Amino acid sequence: MNELGRLEDLPQDYRDALKAQNLVPLWPSLRAVLPPGKPRPQTRATAWSYQALRPLLLQAGELTPIEKAERRVLVLANPGHGLEKMQASAAMYLGMQLLLPGEWAPSHRHTPNAVRMIVEGEGAYTTVDGEKCPMSRGDLILTPTGLWHEHGHDGDQPVVWLDVLDLPLVYYMEASYHVDGPRQAVKPGHGERTHARGGLLPTPVFERSSKAYPMLRYPWVEARAALLALADDQPALEAVQLTYTNPATGGHAENILGFYALMLRPGQTLALPARSPASVFHVIEGALEVQVEDPHAPQHFQLAEADTCCAPGYTPITLINPRADAPAFVFMADESPLHQKLGVYEVR
Ligand code: 1HN
């Protein structure tokens, strides 16, 4: 491969003349924007300990009233991108959000898509598009692009959840904005009940249009039972994995990020191929070791319950359940739908 000319190789008066016309020579930057063989992700394999962040999040509850925060969140920021960029990867944002008993996080809607994975506490709820979604540990609740959402809390203990948004991508697209709204009127209806049975789809006959997102809450009890059933039914199956889907389309639950539930059998090692999208792992139950062959520095994380880590794309990842006596249950998010839709998805 050729050494390409550098900017410094060009005479200063020529460089000044280019600059005055808003012109830039490509060749000094060509290798940086188009590296040989594979990308050089800025995303670094990074882990966040729940035990370490929890006291700081609770402290935020004392320091900043909800009225001064709207959303009381500590962002899980990837140092490879710079903490101020508030991104976990190129397209993913992660944050741990705290809602205290009696608090209300007011209604708004925005262009980025969000999901919440409930980490701790009972009694809180999110109202999405008029549907009241109770929050329990391990539940996944969608707030897809454009849908009104607000959070309330009728319980007596702090509630914490992990927010996953495609904010970095939507912001990069210069398409990120929000609109505030009044408290939503709660409408009857529970998508998670009408879509509780796989393979049986409610079929509109008289209605003109059905909802684009008919299922907003994926209860953990259902996902956990489905994982155990799958593992039991297929004892030789290596990757016991479910995808959170939109039951009406069979496609991914949201447009840009993909969401999955994984089970590792006791002692199981699961070697995942290098895939182009970055990924996030969050331990719902049990323990998990994550080995990432990050080109910057290989990482080996020991994750406990409620811990979260991210890994860049194009790197092999090995998941290990270190426990001999119990399965590990893991929530995973990645950028697959985005890569697939854009035609850049790769498995190496
Ligand atoms: C947001 O709307 C929520 O509604 C949480 O709970 C985190 C991060 C960035 C932008 C919007 C929420 C967010 C957010």
Side-chain angles (χ1 to χ4, degrees), residues 74 89 147 168 236 252 254 269 273 292 343:
L74 293 181
S89 72
L147 297 194
H252 282 283
E254 287 187 350
T269 295
V292 186

Side-chain angles (χ1 to χ4, degrees), residues 114-118 126 139-141 143 149 151 161-163:
V115 300
R116 335 200 168 279
M117 165 53 51
I118 315 311
T126 288
D139 291 353
L140 185 75
I141 298 173
T143 50
H149 57 283
H151 318 304
W161 63 83
L162 175 70
D163 291 310

Side-chain angles (χ1 to χ4, degrees), residues 17-64:
L18 290 179
K19 200 169 178 182
Q21 303 298 326
N22 293 323
L23 296 170
V24 175
L26 172 62
W27 57 95
S29 305
L30 184 58
R31 297 286 185 250
V33 295
L34 215 55
K38 65 173 194 164
R40 303 215 181 96
Q42 277 179 262
T43 303
R44 277 195 227 145
T46 308
W48 295 268
S49 150
Y50 189 62
Q51 206 199 323
L53 75 79
R54 187 180 185 275
L56 296 168
L57 188 57
L58 291 175
Q59 213 179 333
E62 291 161 19
L63 294 169
T64 307

Side-chain angles (χ1 to χ4, degrees), residues 21-277:
Q21 303 298 326
N22 293 323
L23 296 170
V24 175
L26 172 62
W27 57 95
S29 305
L30 184 58
R31 297 286 185 250
V33 295
L34 215 55
K38 65 173 194 164
R40 303 215 181 96
Q42 277 179 262
T43 303
R44 277 195 227 145
T46 308
W48 295 268
S49 150
Y50 189 62
Q51 206 199 323
L53 75 79
R54 187 180 185 275
L56 296 168
L57 188 57
L58 291 175
Q59 213 179 333
E62 291 161 19
L63 294 169
T64 307
I66 193 72
E67 297 74 23
K68 289 281 175 198
E70 245 171 73
R71 300 296 191 262
R72 194 190 289 108
V73 177
L74 293 181
V75 178
L76 279 49
N78 194 301
H81 289 272
L83 300 185
E84 70 290 348
K85 291 277 171 57
M86 300 199 300
Q87 44 192 120
S89 72
M92 289 189 284
Y93 157 105
L94 300 174
M96 282 285 181
Q97 182 161 171
L98 170 70
L99 197 66
L100 293 170
E103 288 186 335
W104 180 59
S107 191
H108 70 187
R109 58 188 172 93
H110 43 67
T111 44
N113 296 273
V115 300
R116 335 200 168 279
M117 165 53 51
I118 315 311
V119 176
E120 152 176 3
E122 293 287 331
Y125 59 88
T126 288
T127 306
V128 187
D129 195 23
E131 183 175 321
K132 190 170 176 177
C133 302
M135 294 172 152
S136 270
R137 198 170 122 78
D139 291 353
L140 185 75
I141 298 173
L142 310 187
T143 50
T145 180
L147 297 194
W148 293 107
H149 57 283
E150 65 197 75
H151 318 304
H153 191 347
D154 299 332
D156 55 12
Q157 295 297 316
V159 165
V160 177
W161 63 83
L162 175 70
D163 291 310
V164 186
L165 283 83
D166 48 26
L167 176 65
L169 177 77
V170 179
Y171 181 77
Y172 178 74
M173 290 163 64
E174 301 189 334
S176 181
Y177 74 96
H178 89 280
V179 180
D180 289 325
R183 194 159 199 147
Q184 296 171 73
V186 174
K187 292 181 266 184
H190 284 275
E192 87 280 3
R193 285 188 207 151
T194 49
H195 290 278
R197 304 272 181 305
L200 292 169
L201 193 61
T203 311
V205 174
F206 299 107
E207 290 76 18
R208 261 170 197 282
S209 66
S210 43
K211 288 182 177 180
Y213 299 94
M215 193 163 166
L216 296 169
R217 174 168 171 257
Y218 297 73
W220 175 236
V221 283
E222 302 285 351
R224 191 181 192 280
L227 285 168
L228 287 166
L230 178 58
D232 188 51
D233 187 52
Q234 300 185 39
L237 183 67
E238 216 184 333
V240 183
Q241 176 176 274
L242 301 170
T243 301
Y244 290 95
T245 61
N246 179 329
T249 65
H252 282 283
E254 287 187 350
N255 286 328
I256 295 175
L257 302 180
F259 308 102
Y260 318 84
L262 259 90
M263 183 184 124
L264 279 98
R265 297 183 170 91
Q268 187 188 348
T269 295
L270 178 62
L272 300 173
R275 292 182 284 195
S276 54

